[in-house]
Amino acid sequence: MVLGMLGVFGIFGIFAGSFLNLLIDRFYRGEQILIGRSHCDNCKHTLSWKDLIPLLSFVLLGGKCRYCDKPIGWINPSVELVTGVSFGLIAGFSDLSNLSSLSVLGYLSILSLAGVFIITFFADIKYGVVYQEVIVVGILAVLVYWITGEIGGTREIRGIICDLIAASCAFLFFWILHKAFKGRAMGRGDADLAFLVGLTAGWPNVIVALFFSFLTGAVFGLILVVTGAQKLKSTVPFGPFLIAGLVISLIFGESFINWYLSFL
Ligand SMILES: [Zn+2]
């Protein structure tokens, strides 16, 4: 049963990932989201259904455009794969028996939130931007999740206020970094994303999320400089590290905090 749900949600996720790819590109170009056929980024040839089967088309075409032979790039299949795995895992770790309409809404908000973070992660790598409207959708998803309450036990007002303060502090921290370095260290989008990361992680997990985002960012930056892939001065988008830090905090946050407190 669990394996079946995992498979169903995984496949649904792979197709959802293909839609997220579309959003990543169309938000960037300011195009209509639902109207218009997809086309190759390079040769502008309109893509047929054969070119648009998530993951499968990429494998069958050997990672190249059918019409101009230009490599499609690793981001598109990665988005599909990551979304499939995320949706599968969310279903796998959920108790999907006895669903009420309220808990269905709660799960939909978790899946939407996962989609928001996947779009933001890959859009920042691909284009170096954080879409503000996508972050707003993420904030709404967290609010819906809080209201549906049922899944994580009904939320207390005090916890909600703590999480709002955590999110505001994270936003303020990145906003100050953004202003202090005149936008060279952090973009304004990083502050918006930090708010959503804080809201999702909550207090005190937000500390773990920010700690690991800077740690992974520093390690990654060091590797790039040492291997000569990047010069010291050039900027690396920080959004992906914020999201990596969030994922680490959601999985290991509690044990990490307990481990840290054992030293005090
Ligand atoms: Zn092409």
Side-chain angles (χ1 to χ4, degrees):
M1 173 68 186
V2 171
L3 221 59
M5 285 314 270
L6 210 137
V8 169
F9 272 77
I11 290 168
F12 170 63
I14 290 170
F15 279 89
S18 157
F19 178 64
L20 298 186
N21 269 323
L22 188 100
L23 292 182
I24 290 172
D25 291 338
R26 294 197 172 175
F27 268 120
Y28 183 68
R29 301 198 204 106
E31 290 174 352
Q32 290 269 12
I33 289 169
L34 295 174
I35 303 166
R37 303 279 302 271
S38 295
H39 45 75
C40 167
D41 285 340
N42 183 50
C43 66
K44 310 295 176 220
H45 197 291
T46 305
L47 301 177
S48 78
W49 66 269
K50 284 183 298 187
D51 311 317
L52 292 168
I53 308 164
L55 285 182
L56 203 64
S57 292
F58 182 83
V59 174
L60 292 178
L61 292 170
K64 286 179 188 152
C65 170
R66 188 193 300 275
Y67 311 100
C68 68
D69 255 9
K70 179 130 197 272
I72 296 167
W74 59 273
I75 289 193
N76 279 43
S78 303
V79 170
E80 288 157 3
L81 193 64
V82 168
T83 314
V85 171
S86 308
F87 280 25
L89 285 178
I90 290 169
F93 281 104
S94 304
D95 176 18
L96 296 178
S97 53
N98 301 321
L99 282 177
S100 68
S101 47
L102 209 58
S103 56
V104 167
L105 199 61
Y107 281 118
L108 283 178
S109 63
I110 296 176
L111 295 180
S112 311
L113 192 59
V116 162
F117 283 121
I118 292 167
I119 289 181
T120 307
F121 186 96
F122 287 100
D124 205 4
I125 293 176
K126 197 170 182 181
Y127 298 120
V129 286
V130 172
Y131 303 130
Q132 215 159 28
E133 50 272 69
V134 172
I135 299 294
V136 171
V137 171
I139 293 170
L140 290 177
V142 176
L143 295 182
V144 169
Y145 179 70
W146 284 354
I147 293 166
T148 59
E150 257 179 47
I151 300 169
T154 311
R155 298 233 35 191
E156 281 181 38
I157 282 293
R158 207 164 54 126
I160 288 177
I161 291 172
C162 276
D163 290 352
L164 282 173
I165 293 173
S168 307
C169 288
F171 171 83
L172 210 62
F173 179 63
F174 277 85
W175 189 78
I176 290 170
L177 278 180
H178 168 64
K179 287 286 168 197
F181 292 95
K182 298 195 171 65
R184 284 194 303 267
M186 295 293 166
R188 167 61 213 271
D190 293 320
D192 297 335
L193 176 58
F195 183 87
L196 182 59
V197 165
L199 212 57
T200 309
W203 178 264
N205 231 357
V206 63
I207 309 274
V208 181
L210 294 189
F211 173 77
F212 277 104
S213 65
F214 279 100
L215 189 70
T216 50
V219 169
F220 188 78
L222 207 64
I223 291 171
L224 285 187
V225 171
V226 168
T227 56
Q230 197 121 17
K231 300 232 165 60
L232 251 182
K233 266 188 175 168
S234 53
T235 53
V236 175
F238 197 70
F241 300 110
L242 267 171
I243 294 168
L246 171 69
V247 172
I248 294 173
S249 81
L250 290 178
I251 301 171
F252 302 110
E254 224 179 276
S255 29
F256 184 78
I257 289 170
N258 289 335
W259 173 78
Y260 181 77
L261 289 177
S262 69
F263 289 99
L264 298 181

